[in-house]
Amino acid sequence: MEHVGARREKTENTTGKNTTGKTAVITGATSGIGLAALKELAGLGFRVIGVGRAAKRCAEAEASIRSEMPGARVDYLVADLSSQRQVRDLAAAISRLLETENGGCLDLLVNNAGTVSSWYVTTEDGYEMQFAVNHLAPFLLTRELLPLLNKAGFARVITTSSGSHYNTRMNWRDVMYRRGYNCLLAYKQSKLANVLFTSEFNRRQGPGSRIRAYAVDPGLVNTGIGEKGTNGFVCWFWRIRRQRGVAPEIAARTIIHLATTPGLEDPEAVYWKDCRPKRPSGYSQREDAGRRLWELSERLTS
Amino acid sequence: MLSSMRSFVLITGATGGLGKAFAAECAARGWDLFLTDLSESRLALLAVGLSRLHNVEVKYRACNLADPAAREEFLKSLETAGLQFHFLINNAGLDFEGPFAERTPEELATVVRLNVEATVAITRWVLRLRDQARTFRILNVSSLAGFYPMPVKAVYAASKRFLLQFSLALHCELRGDDITVTALCPAGMPSNPGVIRSINAQGFMGRVTAKNVGFVAAKAIDRALAGRAVYIPGLLNLFLSRLGSLVPSSVAAALINRRWRETSKRCTPSN
């Protein structure tokens, strides 16, 4: 039990808040913002479950965290979030894991995994890749994990959105951008969907709910997101642009802030950047758009 | 007996990149679908996904169309089920990458059986099951490769040449029977990670000739509905296809041979 004591000490030293024993699930946790947030939370005494697409990268991340932080309680689960089947299997695996540990209680879900695709690529369900991974997967995973989140005293659902959500609207006539696919427009729409989902989630939970959702704008971050599914101009442009971005550890601070600070129940503050609430786009706060996206997402994940 | 009045679009190779795009495009137009491909589980997922998105009926049945016995059983099952069709998309096709001498005889035969034999057999059979009340559309997925002899893709390119000629001939022959036949001749389409890698390996030419499958599928259906004989997506690709008929075949083959050898060097994994 020695490592438990060590962990508690560290927790109190860094934030002064007792987060020991809380549970967190973070998707896209093998690199970038997700990995940085996971390490930070593990250091704060959270029991963390990271999710990644490739088994090899998951094993490497898990091994490196275990060697860096011997006391960390960390597990990785492998899931391709473009597949709704795998999202459901993932939620079931998380439930099984936490059931034996704490009766199936989840304090924090970080929907961080995101993708960029230069081309119109469809998932096994027939949906456009960015819409499926960036929006439908968080929607479905959150819904599947609701029973676990409901067991926490106060649970938080954090979704990594982006400043890309400004100056765009939902392309309702063709949300999959099938005909006139454009990488950037499809990405912007998916990040707008994150904010619409977050706001609609809170509206549906109602005031006084014990689960709150937040959207995080990480700003420009030096990660590989713009290089993985792209080529040519987009890949080249991102390689240049990422140099000006902040380190993932700095971008992860807002997630840590939202995960650990008590008294963030202000219903107006849904969109956060640099540990402060920020005004999201007007469109993202439209109730009709939020409702419409919610109903569409329910239908597409039914 | 309302259900027997419905008429379907038959799409082969439906769970591949272009196949899924065709299925999504047809579903978006409100057409009921009948899908086939090798994997029953992948067909089931796609059928559920598309019917949620577009409120259409999506039927499916798995079949290895390269196997003549399985193919016949599949086609008979369509008839037994009393289905009728107003659109046939012969999309199933495959290639085994690499030089001719390194391919097994079985692999080479499979390319011919699927790309050529299956397309001919299905087209003939489904004509009998056409919805008599509507114009019947056939869309055959040929390729830009159908315009030249292609070293390293010799059997594949020849099979696509077959489909192009077959389509052009049927287009004229069947016109009087209210049937249109359209050949789609795309360049590379970045529809899955493997193809995207291969397009990137071809460098600049790979990227500028590539077109999004969603766009290609939508336009190809437009062209089929307009009764066009051939559709080549992209102006540059159209130019390249015209070049194919101006440059002597032997010269084209030599040029392509050189280009593919450079590409395959770059494509070879380093680890």
Side-chain angles (χ1 to χ4, degrees), chain B residues 54-72:
Chain B
H54 295 294
N55 269 322
V56 293
E57 184 174 0
V58 186
K59 292 177 182 288
Y60 61 89
R61 186 185 164 111
C63 177
N64 177 10
L65 294 173
D67 173 355
R71 188 167 69 218
E72 195 176 330

Side-chain angles (χ1 to χ4, degrees), chain B residues 43 85 96:
Chain B
L43 284 165
F85 300 90
F96 295 94

Side-chain angles (χ1 to χ4, degrees), chain A residues 125-200:
Chain A
D125 301 298
Y127 302 149
E128 191 274 316
M129 186 61 75
Q130 296 193 82
F131 189 74
V133 173
N134 299 358
H135 167 64
L136 288 177
F139 179 88
L140 178 57
L141 186 60
T142 306
R143 200 185 64 197
E144 295 288 302
L145 292 176
L146 266 185
L148 284 76
L149 293 162
N150 269 318
K151 286 185 190 166
F154 183 73
R156 300 150 210 245
V157 176
I158 300 171
T159 304
T160 305
S161 178
S162 155
S164 302
H165 92 277
Y166 291 106
N167 302 314
T168 192
R169 307 160 70 84
M170 293 299 296
N171 186 25
W172 293 119
R173 283 177 58 193
D174 183 10
V175 286
M176 305 293 173
Y177 275 98
R178 197 181 61 256
R179 210 179 167 111
Y181 185 78
N182 175 289
C183 167
L184 186 61
L185 290 181
Y187 183 74
K188 283 172 76 71
Q189 176 185 257
S190 74
K191 292 290 124 181
L192 171 63
N194 293 150
V195 188
L196 284 167
F197 158 71
T198 300
S199 303
E200 182 68 12

